Amino acid sequence: MSAELHALSLAELSRRIASRALSPVELMEACIARIKALDGGLNSVLLLLEERAMAEAGAAEAEIAAGRLRGPLHGIPIGLKDIYETAGIPTTAHSAVLRDHVPAEDATTVRLLREAGAVIPAKLSTWEFALGGTSFDLPWPPARNPWDRRLDPTGSSSGSAVAVAAGLLPGAMGSDTGGSIRNPAAWCGIAGHKPTYGLVSRKGVLPLSWSLDHAGPMAWTAEDCALMMEALAGYDPGDPASADVPAPDFAGAIAEGRRHGLAGLRIGVVRHFFECDLPCTPPVLTAMEDSLRVMRELGAEVFDVTLPAFGEYAAPGNIIARAESWAIHEAWLTEDASRYGAYGRRRLASGAFVTASDYLHAQRRRSLLIARTLEAMEGLDAVVFPTARGTAEPMGVDTMAPKGPPAFFARVFNLVGGPALSVCNGFSPEGLPVGLQIAGRPFGDAMVLRIGDAVERALGTRARRPLLEVVDA
Amino acid sequence: MSGETVMERPRLEERLHACGLRLPPEDLAPLDELITILDQAAEVVRAPLPVSAEPANVLVLPHTRPTD
C-alpha cells in the first residue's frame, strides 16, 4: 500500500471508498504493491490472487460508481487464513497433506464477505492445520513478526496477524481454538476477535477441534473487527453449532461508545490470572494498569472479580482439544504421518492416548466451568485480563512446548464459548506490542468490541505502526 | 491414558503401533513429554464431580447456563 493508505484502518478506508475519495482499484493496487515489496521478509502470504483480485476490485469500483454501495466492506481487501475453503482456489492448511486440495465451494464466511463486497487478494500462512507451531519443515516458511523479523508472530493465525500489522491488508480472517486469533493479535499489535461460539459459521473452515473452534476477524482496530462482524455474524444451517439468534448491532455499539464512553458499564478485572495463576512481565502489568485507568476515566466501574483458577480451564481444554484433533486427523496420520511437520505430527499423535472416559470427564468439567464462569460474570458487561504473559519471543522458541507455564491466557473463553477480543494496549520499552483481552457473556460481542474501541482510542496505541524496509526473502 | 507419568519407550512404541501410527524415532521423546502433560490433565479431569454433571452440549455451548 502507499505510504498513506497502509497506515489507515479498515474503517477509514471504508469511509473513503463510500465517499468516493478512494477507489477499490487504487486500494488493491496499493495492497498488492506493498505485499510484493515487503512480504518476502515476512512470509505472511501463501498465495497471491493478483489477477482475480484486481478484476474483483474493478467490479466493486464499477458497482459503487453506479450508486450501489453494498456496505462498509465493499471494495475492502480481506485476506484468508489458509484453512478457509475457497472455491477453485487451493486451500492447503499450510501442509503438504493438502498441498493439492482445491475446494469446490467457498466457506460460508468467505461467501458472506464476498456478498458484502469484500475482495479476497490472498490466502495467508498459518501453523500447520492451525496447530503445528512455528515450523521450518513445511512446504512454506513460517511468518515473521513485522515489529522485529527475528521474532515470532505466534499463531496459529500468524499470516493474518502479520499481514494486518505490516499494513499489507486492512483485514483478515483467523480461527481460534485455543487463542489462535488473540495470541498473534497481541504479539503483532493488532485487534483480533474470537466471537461467541455459534455466532460466526465455521462451515468450510478446516476443523481442528469441533467444540473449541471459532472463526473470526483480525484487523488494525476493534472498530474494524466490528465492521467485519456485521457481515460475518448470523445463523448458518450448514454449521451444526450455529446459533439461530439475532445478530448484534456492532456498528451501533461502537457509535454508542463514542457518544458515551464506558459510562455505566461494570468491568471485572481477573487479577488472579495475571498476578497469581500466570504472573506476567512488567510491560504487560504496566499496560494492564494503564488500561484500567482509562476505563475508569471513561466512566466504567472497574473492580476485581474471581473466576476459577486458570489451571482449571487448562486441563479440560487440553484433553478436549487433543482428543478432537486426533479424531479429525487419525486417518491421514495413520496413512502417512511423514507428510506432517514434526510439531504438528507429535501434537496430533498425542491425542491418540486420550481415553473416551477422560474426554467425557473433561466435557463434564467444562459444563461446570461454564456455569461457574457465567455466575461470576453475572451483572458484568465484561471481564479483562492480558492476552499474553509477555511480548513476542524469538523465532524458533516453541511457545507450545509442554515445559513451563503457558505463554497465553486464551483457552478460558474457548471452553466457555463467550466472546473474547484482544486489542493492543501498550508497548514494551523495546517497542514491542502488548495485548489486552476483553471477554464477555455469550452473545455480548458488540459490548466487548465497544470496550475495545474505547480503550484503543483512549490509549492512542493505533497511531504506531511497525517500521518496515524492503528486504530480500 | 496410561496413568503413568512417563511411559516406557517399548510401551509407547507398542501403543503407537496399536493406533496404526508409524512415527520416526526422533518423535518419541517429545511425544512422551506431550503424553505426560495429557496424563496430568487427565488426573485433573478425573477428580470427583457431582453425579449430576453432564458433558457440555457442544452444539449449544453459549446457551449453557447454571439454571438451564
Side-chain angles (χ1 to χ4, degrees), chain A residues 196-197 211 315 319 326 334 345-346 350 353-355 358 361 363-368 370-371 374 402-403 442-443, chain B residues 1 15 19-21 24 26-27 31 33 35 37-38 42 44-47 49-50 53-56 58 61-62 64:
Chain A
T196 297
Y197 188 81
S211 76
I319 296 284
W326 166 250
T334 53
R345 186 172 66 229
R346 295 164 188 165
S350 69
F353 295 81
V354 178
T355 66
D358 288 338
H361 285 313
Q363 290 286 19
R364 292 176 72 208
R365 195 160 294 278
R366 181 186 195 174
S367 290
L368 297 177
I370 292 170
L374 296 184
K403 289 175 182 165
F443 303 105
Chain B
M1 204 68 60
R15 288 290 306 275
C19 297
L21 274 169
E26 65 268 24
D27 278 8
L31 180 60
E33 289 181 8
I35 293 169
I37 296 293
L38 282 173
V44 172
V45 302
R46 285 181 201 145
L49 288 169
E54 293 196 7
V58 298
L61 273 178
T64 305

Side-chain angles (χ1 to χ4, degrees), chain B residues 2-66:
Chain B
S2 70
E4 303 162 23
T5 53
V6 178
M7 199 178 290
E8 290 177 10
R9 179 65 55 86
R11 177 163 159 69
L12 175 58
E13 290 184 77
E14 184 183 310
R15 288 290 306 275
L16 289 170
H17 281 272
C19 297
L21 274 169
R22 301 287 183 272
L23 300 183
E26 65 268 24
D27 278 8
L28 297 184
L31 180 60
D32 186 63
E33 289 181 8
L34 293 165
I35 293 169
T36 300
I37 296 293
L38 282 173
D39 277 336
Q40 292 164 354
E43 290 301 318
V44 172
V45 302
R46 285 181 201 145
L49 288 169
V51 175
S52 60
E54 293 196 7
N57 182 345
V58 298
L59 298 185
V60 290
L61 273 178
H63 306 288
T64 305
R65 300 283 195 280

Side-chain angles (χ1 to χ4, degrees), chain A residues 260-267 295 298-301 379 381 447 450:
Chain A
H260 302 298
L262 302 180
L265 302 190
R266 289 165 52 82
I267 297 174
M295 287 178 201
L298 288 163
E301 186 183 349
D381 293 289
M447 175 61 73
R450 170 185 167 179

Side-chain angles (χ1 to χ4, degrees), chain A residues 26-397:
Chain A
E26 181 189 353
L27 175 57
M28 187 59 72
E29 285 173 345
C31 283
I32 289 172
R34 191 165 170 88
I35 288 170
K36 288 181 174 177
L38 295 174
D39 199 56
L42 297 171
N43 304 327
S44 70
V45 174
L46 286 187
L47 180 62
L48 182 61
L49 304 163
E50 181 175 359
E51 200 172 316
R52 181 178 176 136
M54 287 308 304
E56 290 175 1
E61 183 163 307
E63 203 173 337
I64 293 166
R68 295 194 299 274
L69 180 72
R70 298 192 195 182
L73 297 189
H74 206 168
I76 296 290
I78 302 285
L80 301 174
K81 181 178 185 175
D82 203 23
I83 62 170
Y84 281 75
E85 294 202 317
T86 39
I89 299 169
T91 301
T92 67
H94 209 128
S95 176
V97 175
L98 293 184
R99 189 197 289 266
D100 301 318
H101 175 53
V102 181
E105 289 183 18
D106 282 340
T108 296
T109 41
V110 175
R111 176 177 58 77
L112 291 171
L113 288 169
R114 291 191 194 281
E115 287 173 359
V119 181
I120 311 294
K123 302 298 290 287
L124 303 172
S125 62
T126 166
W127 286 355
E128 187 177 31
F129 285 105
L131 170 78
T134 300
S135 301
F136 294 87
D137 58 353
L138 302 177
W140 304 272
R144 290 179 175 272
N145 196 311
W147 294 90
D148 182 338
R149 294 191 324 112
R150 296 167 299 183
L151 301 181
D152 195 338
T154 198
S156 65
S157 306
S158 45
S160 303
V162 170
V164 170
L168 310 183
L169 296 170
M173 290 300 293
S175 69
D176 194 316
T177 304
S180 285
I181 286 175
R182 292 160 287 160
N183 299 347
W187 276 14
C188 293
I190 68 166
H193 183 61
K194 183 206 80 66
T196 297
Y197 188 81
L199 187 59
V200 172
S201 171
R202 303 158 311 152
K203 180 173 185 280
V205 182
L206 296 171
L208 176 61
S209 170
W210 297 289
S211 76
L212 296 169
D213 288 344
H214 299 69
M218 302 172 77
W220 187 242
T221 69
E223 181 190 21
D224 297 346
C225 289
L227 293 180
M228 291 175 69
M229 285 296 292
E230 290 274 352
L232 294 166
Y235 176 60
D236 177 15
D239 177 350
S242 186
D244 191 2
V245 297
D249 178 6
F250 299 100
I254 297 291
E256 178 78 3
R258 299 217 174 159
R259 279 196 301 272
H260 302 298
L262 302 180
L265 302 190
R266 289 165 52 82
I267 297 174
V269 183
V270 193
R271 193 170 293 280
H272 63 89
F273 272 11
F274 56 93
E275 289 189 351
C276 302
D277 301 353
L278 289 177
C280 289
T281 59
V284 172
L285 295 174
T286 300
M288 189 73 206
E289 294 309 321
D290 287 345
S291 303
L292 300 180
R293 174 178 52 76
V294 299
M295 287 178 201
R296 290 191 182 97
E297 289 170 358
L298 288 163
E301 186 183 349
V302 179
F303 49 88
D304 290 357
V305 296
T306 302
L307 298 185
F310 181 80
E312 290 194 57
Y313 299 94
N318 280 341
I319 296 284
I320 293 165
R322 290 292 77 78
E324 294 185 5
S325 59
W326 166 250
I328 289 163
H329 284 270
E330 179 179 2
W332 285 335
L333 273 166
T334 53
E335 181 183 309
D336 184 2
S338 70
R339 292 182 299 172
Y340 289 80
Y343 286 162
R345 186 172 66 229
R346 295 164 188 165
R347 285 170 186 151
L348 290 165
S350 69
F353 295 81
V354 178
T355 66
S357 169
D358 288 338
Y359 175 75
L360 287 167
H361 285 313
Q363 290 286 19
R364 292 176 72 208
R365 195 160 294 278
R366 181 186 195 174
S367 290
L368 297 177
L369 279 169
I370 292 170
R372 289 167 61 198
T373 305
L374 296 184
E375 192 173 26
M377 292 174 70
E378 192 69 45
L380 299 180
D381 293 289
V383 293
V384 294
F385 47 97
T387 306
R389 293 176 57 230
T391 53
E393 295 182 9
M395 291 289 284
V397 174

